[in-house]
Amino acid sequence: MVEENTSVVITDNQGNTYNFIQNNIGAYVFNVAFEALPNTMYTLSIKTSDGKQYISSKTELAPLSQIDDLYAEVISGGRDANKV
């Protein structure tokens, strides 16, 4: 079931709003470029065509993890000794 003519909006803690639009298969997609940023709070608001309204609690995207060290190690021996 597809909910037609619904208002779907994301608002951040900076006061920016990002509106979704309904595409030709019934999915709601952004009408402008949007990138969720770490350390920013977001709220999702949905208002259906029959007037029902749903608002999420404020949610923060987790900060990106920093990789300090990365290396490869070849372990020899065993059944796969000649494979890397």
Side-chain angles (χ1 to χ4, degrees):
M1 173 184 254
V2 175
E3 183 72 37
E4 300 282 341
N5 302 314
T6 297
S7 170
V8 180
V9 178
I10 289 181
T11 306
D12 67 20
N13 59 337
Q14 308 281 319
N16 300 307
T17 58
Y18 305 92
N19 297 297
F20 289 76
I21 57 171
Q22 188 176 7
N23 67 13
N24 60 352
I25 62 170
Y28 288 85
V29 296
F30 289 112
N31 61 353
V32 296
F34 172 78
E35 178 183 359
L37 300 172
N39 305 312
T40 301
M41 302 293 287
Y42 295 96
T43 304
L44 173 65
S45 303
I46 301 170
K47 186 173 182 180
T48 63
S49 58
D50 63 357
K52 293 180 183 173
Q53 189 162 354
Y54 305 91
I55 300 175
S56 73
S57 55
K58 291 182 180 179
T59 304
E60 182 176 4
L61 182 65
L64 298 175
S65 297
Q66 182 174 341
I67 298 174
D68 294 324
D69 194 16
L70 181 66
Y71 64 95
E73 181 179 344
V74 176
I75 300 173
S76 62
R79 187 182 73 144
D80 296 324
N82 295 322
K83 296 181 182 178
V84 176

